[in-house]
Amino acid sequence: MKILVLGSGAREHAIVLALASESASHELLAAPGNAGIGRDATLVDVDMLDPTAVTTFAKEHAVDLVVIGPEAPLVAGVADTLREHGIPVFGPGRQAAQLEGSKAFAKRIMEQAGVPTGRAVHARSLEDTAAALDDFGAPYVVKADGLAAGKGVIVTEDRSAALAHAEQYLPKGPVLVEEFLSGPEVSLFLLSDGDTVRPLSPAQDFKRALDGDAGPNTGGMGAYSPLPWLAEQYGSVQAFVDEVTEQIALPVVRELDRDGSPFIGLLYAGLILTEQGVRVIEFNARFGDPETQIVLPRLATPLSRLLMAAAAGTLEDESAPEFRDEAAVTVVLASEGYPASPITGRVITGLDEAERIEGVHITHAATRRDGDDLIATGGRVLNVVARGATFAEARSRAYEAMSRIHLEGSHFRTDIAAQVA
Ligand code: AMP
Ligand code: GLY
């Protein structure tokens, strides 16, 4: 198949690597990509945010399938235009992508679908915000309504910090004040063709910048999969996955269909396991980053087949995706100053030495080539991904590989997957 992957992060690199590892030989194209993606796919020059440009490119180059990685092209309506022209695309249309783009829309759909989530109030002024904060009590949760790359949320014991956060976003629209939910977090990805959903393997993401879940929220500093501890609570990991599929994902997909905006793509359920049961914290309309980097390497079913079936509306004919019984851990290397103000433009070395370790590969998040040099171009620079028979093995491989990589001033968390190793 000729497959065009849109995006430029480690998530898209992971998608490209999964497609490249299939036995069938695909022609892989990526736009805009990055230095790592450029090793595994042909980088092409098309503006991924321009629906017409992407559609024209796909037609002219007889692309069989377009896979949309990040949220921005979804919100820009790239999937809608491709679909109007009969080009198979993995990624929801603009309206269904509001499930991620608008927390108000997501709450409405969840309410209509009877899906369990935290109680929330939309505050349009500081006075409303203060009243809602006092109503829910500490810890306080305040969220910006639109896309904010993981930075729009504050969870704090400090009422004045919560108010200051609201003040920052209120000029752009209402903020959401939410009840604090306590418990472990789980990311579950589900493929959807608008009607049938097929779950992937659950993962856990580390959103805070520093060890021990300290520091500010980030786009994600590391992840591991699967989650063995789910079996203790639910009897088996499968029992948990089945419950989320039946009680959360299917009702939401059906509700979106009724709403006139079928969800074709990747439904990412961000969940908290409270003592009262599973609650949705957020939905995303795309693969998660960095969880994709450790979920896809364990996938035994060919990814292209699943993505194509979702795009074509034939997921019902596919059996459940299968996963290898191994542990996978990823650790993100971040630039100095990330997340507040990352310093970019510095040289990265040691990747070849790192990838010589058994079970290890690197996905690039923000890199470019400059002659023989590899340059960091963003906050989250790359992911070390390690697999092993056990989490202890995968972890030690990941951190051994990380110790061989050098980027001045960079930082990473040292406690990724420590609890399961
Ligand atoms: P979100 O962008 O909505 O996924 O929120 C980012 C992070 O903030 C989540 O991964 C949680 O760790 C935390 N968070 C969000 N909402 C809540 C909540 N209602 N209660 C507790 N923590 C939350
Ligand atoms: N891992 C968090 C996200 O992709 O939004």
Side-chain angles (χ1 to χ4, degrees):
M1 267 200 267
K2 193 184 246 194
I3 306 173
L4 170 64
V5 177
L6 299 182
S8 64
R11 162 185 50 212
E12 288 76 28
H13 196 184
I15 292 170
V16 163
L17 283 171
L19 294 170
S21 72
E22 291 175 12
S23 50
S25 64
H26 299 304
E27 188 177 343
L28 300 177
L29 311 174
N34 62 35
I37 296 172
R39 280 195 317 194
D40 303 297
T42 304
L43 302 189
V44 295
D45 185 19
V46 51
D47 179 0
M48 72 165 178
L49 296 178
D50 181 342
T52 308
V54 174
T55 304
T56 305
F57 179 93
K59 274 190 176 166
E60 278 175 1
H61 294 81
V63 169
D64 297 302
L65 173 68
V66 179
V67 181
I68 303 183
E71 55 274 32
L74 301 172
V75 172
V78 172
D80 303 270
T81 307
L82 284 164
R83 233 167 252 132
E84 279 158 24
H85 288 81
I87 297 162
V89 50
F90 184 81
R94 191 201 309 250
Q95 182 59 23
Q98 288 298 306
L99 201 58
E100 169 166 2
S102 160
K103 295 203 191 274
F105 179 79
K107 284 282 182 198
R108 174 169 74 77
I109 294 292
M110 279 191 267
E111 202 171 294
Q112 288 169 357
V115 162
T117 182
R119 288 182 302 130
V121 167
H122 286 271
R124 289 170 204 285
S125 67
L126 265 190
E127 293 70 45
D128 288 359
T129 307
L133 292 175
D134 294 337
D135 186 24
F136 288 130
Y140 304 106
V141 182
V142 178
K143 304 184 174 186
D145 192 50
L147 295 175
K151 292 173 201 154
V153 176
I154 191 170
V155 181
T156 177
E157 295 279 345
D158 181 347
R159 187 174 177 276
S160 54
L163 275 175
H165 188 78
E167 196 167 16
Q168 185 188 338
Y169 287 100
L170 273 171
K172 292 169 216 152
V175 297
L176 210 68
V177 180
E178 202 170 84
E179 132 187 55
F180 176 79
L181 301 168
S182 172
E185 287 184 42
V186 175
S187 305
L188 186 67
F189 300 162
L190 303 107
L191 304 157
S192 169
D193 66 2
D195 182 40
T196 299
V197 301
R198 291 278 182 261
L200 301 183
S201 183
Q204 192 168 56
D205 174 17
F206 292 73
K207 287 215 167 80
R208 300 287 187 136
L210 306 175
D211 282 1
D213 289 331
N217 264 321
T218 70
M221 293 298 290
Y224 67 91
S225 175
L227 306 181
W229 43 267
L230 280 173
E232 287 155 32
Q233 210 169 327
Y234 286 84
S236 69
V237 175
Q238 194 57 46
F240 168 81
V241 169
D242 290 345
E243 181 182 317
V244 175
T245 305
E246 296 296 327
Q247 295 182 13
I248 293 174
L250 267 175
V252 162
V253 164
R254 302 244 153 97
E255 189 57 39
L256 284 168
D257 195 34
R258 263 195 295 277
D259 208 57
S261 43
F263 191 98
I264 299 165
L266 198 285
L267 180 66
Y268 165 143
L271 308 163
I272 289 194
L273 278 48
T274 73
E275 273 169 11
Q276 289 73 44
V278 183
R279 298 283 181 275
V280 175
I281 348 173
E282 62 163 353
F283 284 116
N284 293 316
R286 42 142 187 107
F287 279 103
D289 191 339
E291 297 97 315
T292 303
Q293 290 88 300
I294 35 96
V295 169
L296 293 187
R298 294 182 44 242
L299 180 65
T301 312
L303 178 64
S304 63
R305 197 167 138 176
L306 296 171
L307 300 182
M308 195 55 164
T314 58
L315 261 186
E316 201 181 12
D317 305 335
E318 297 292 322
S319 47
E322 288 180 23
F323 286 84
R324 278 180 280 274
D325 184 17
E326 59 187 4
V329 174
T330 184
V331 183
V332 171
L333 183 74
S335 291
E336 180 174 357
Y338 177 78
S341 46
I343 298 175
T344 62
R346 291 177 174 162
V347 175
I348 315 155
T349 57
L351 297 203
D352 290 346
E353 290 81 348
E355 284 196 306
R356 256 177 233 130
I357 295 169
E358 194 184 340
V360 168
H361 70 271
I362 309 271
T363 51
H364 291 229
T367 61
R368 71 176 160 81
R369 282 256 159 234
D370 183 5
D372 285 342
D373 287 342
L374 187 68
I375 310 289
T377 59
R380 290 191 294 174
V381 177
L382 56 81
N383 293 68
V384 171
V385 182
R387 285 179 282 168
T390 63
F391 276 106
E393 185 174 60
R395 255 192 116 237
S396 75
R397 287 173 172 175
Y399 283 109
E400 171 60 26
M402 194 58 108
S403 75
R404 300 184 183 190
I405 299 174
H406 183 75
L407 166 64
E408 188 193 333
S410 61
H411 60 102
F412 58 87
R413 278 184 62 159
T414 66
D415 62 348
I416 305 298
Q419 74 185 98
V420 288

